[in-house]
Amino acid sequence: QLACPLDLGCHSVSYSHDVFLKASSILRRFALSSEPVIEAFELFAVAVKTRLEQRAQEDEEMGEVPEEFLDPIMQTLMEDPVTLPTSGQVMDRSVIIRHLLSDSTDPFNRAL
């Protein structure tokens, strides 16, 4: 079973439902995986698409968000704001965690 937090798909910048559909088609066409795994993958893709649509609706209902509530990198509403120790910048915890997985520096001043 495919397990992944659906919030990974909540950033429409990095999500394309067409890519999921093409991947599913390739998996099936070349018999690269079993049918139950491919079906689970397709269900996951639908769940991510549905979650993205829900988030878009929530964003629309909220209206204009004050700049200080937006993450400075992703420009999304901060759900868990944290202050970075070296630059003093405030950003969403999930965004800085993703950044730190590939780079151990502060994204604003490159300090360790």
Side-chain angles (χ1 to χ4, degrees):
Q1 181 179 3
L2 297 174
C4 188
L6 290 182
D7 280 340
L8 289 178
C10 289
H11 300 289
S12 59
V13 173
S14 59
Y15 173 79
S16 169
H17 190 68
D18 289 339
V19 171
F20 275 95
L21 296 177
K22 287 177 186 176
S24 173
S25 174
I26 290 168
L27 289 170
R28 190 171 277 116
R29 185 176 338 127
F30 295 103
L32 296 174
S33 193
S34 67
E35 191 60 29
V37 170
I38 295 171
E39 288 174 3
F41 180 76
E42 291 170 340
L43 287 174
F44 175 75
V46 170
V48 170
K49 181 179 180 186
T50 301
R51 182 66 180 124
L52 264 176
E53 290 168 351
Q54 289 172 343
R55 288 288 291 256
Q57 179 67 30
E58 291 168 5
D59 288 349
E60 187 175 308
E61 289 171 1
M62 258 191 328
E64 191 65 30
V65 177
E67 187 73 25
E68 62 267 18
F69 295 150
L70 297 177
D71 178 83
I73 292 178
M74 295 297 294
Q75 292 299 303
T76 55
L77 181 65
M78 291 188 282
E79 294 179 14
D80 186 9
V82 295
T83 302
L84 302 181
T86 58
S87 66
Q89 288 283 335
V90 177
M91 63 186 302
D92 195 61
R93 184 181 307 272
S94 65
V95 175
I96 190 62
I97 287 172
R98 272 198 314 269
H99 170 77
L100 293 172
L101 289 173
S102 62
D103 187 341
S104 63
T105 63
D106 183 314
F108 297 97
N109 63 10
R110 296 296 180 200
L112 290 176

